[in-house]
Amino acid sequence: MTDGSPYWNDLLKLRDPAWSEPTKAQQDKLTADVQRLAYRLGGEIWSRADEIADVPPRTRDAVIGYAPDRYLATLRALRAVKDAADAAATLIASEAGHRGAGYPQLGKAWDITRQAARLRWPGAVSVINEANNREPIHFEMYGGEARVSFHPEEGGWWWIATAANRKVQEAPADLTYDTSEEAAAAAGAFLAANTTDGE
């Protein structure tokens, strides 16, 4: 629900960049936090956990410090952390997509391409946020006309054009553009190259 205030309207616009890169100190802290979390979970799932529960502390510490399976249990816990992070990323990508972010932005946030983001999170981008001004664009030039439209399921812009010589062409099905300007430029190039039928 909006209240019409400029501040609220600003919140609905995608900000670019949407983040600043984590500093080394922030990354180091996150790594340490994840290691502590995995080490704790590894201790809970370790197959020897019950066996050494009543062992004297000094002996228990030695077993924990030297048993290779203790580290394997922690490694398995780290895999669980990765699975949890992937599940959380799927949820957050969907939330971002439903609030107006496209696959180019999702890919950039995950440090992958737009196409890889679409494959990783199919259906994450399913609605158009009205604040992002993604209305179709129609224009005429070189005696022909073109239409540029945003495809939310693809997370990018697409075009179709009819040239002066009556040839019709559209962007390939597997190609979308990050901006309407890029799609319009491609459509314009097609119109410019087909002003006559060559007779």
Side-chain angles (χ1 to χ4, degrees):
M1 183 171 210
T2 65
D3 62 8
S5 71
Y7 179 73
W8 183 265
N9 291 335
D10 182 59
L11 283 177
L12 297 180
K13 293 179 183 173
L14 283 175
R15 181 170 285 185
D16 187 21
W19 66 88
S20 59
E21 290 298 324
T23 65
K24 183 177 185 314
Q26 290 170 326
Q27 187 65 52
D28 289 347
K29 182 181 183 307
L30 178 61
T31 299
D33 289 345
V34 169
Q35 287 174 341
R36 277 192 294 275
L37 178 67
Y39 194 76
R40 186 172 71 239
L41 177 58
E44 293 172 6
I45 65 174
W46 184 29
S47 59
R48 289 183 203 256
D50 290 338
E51 293 174 27
I52 66 166
D54 297 324
V55 172
R58 194 166 176 184
T59 304
R60 184 171 59 245
D61 290 346
V63 173
I64 290 172
Y66 291 98
D69 41 80
R70 175 62 176 91
Y71 293 92
L72 289 174
T74 301
L75 186 61
R76 180 60 186 90
L78 281 166
R79 175 56 199 231
V81 169
K82 180 186 180 302
D83 291 345
D86 285 344
T90 297
L91 176 64
I92 295 301
S94 181
E95 292 292 336
H98 282 74
R99 284 165 174 74
Y103 284 110
Q105 292 82 24
L106 296 180
K108 187 176 180 183
W110 201 249
D111 198 22
I112 56 178
T113 65
R114 174 187 65 216
Q115 293 85 353
R118 187 165 52 240
L119 290 173
R120 186 178 187 92
W121 302 300
V125 178
S126 62
V127 297
I128 300 176
N129 188 331
E130 294 177 0
N132 290 329
N133 191 21
R134 292 176 174 168
E135 293 298 316
I137 301 164
H138 180 268
F139 63 93
E140 298 179 3
M141 64 179 358
Y142 300 110
E145 61 181 338
R147 178 180 173 87
V148 174
S149 58
F150 184 76
H151 285 207
E153 68 281 358
E154 299 296 327
W157 294 85
W158 177 85
W159 62 269
I160 185 168
T162 303
N165 63 7
R166 308 317 302 157
K167 286 185 179 177
V168 177
Q169 188 167 323
E170 60 187 62
D174 61 346
L175 174 66
T176 55
Y177 299 84
D178 289 345
T179 66
S180 59
E181 291 81 5
E182 290 174 341
F190 166 74
L191 295 177
N194 291 278
T195 55
T196 66
D197 57 16
E199 295 180 356

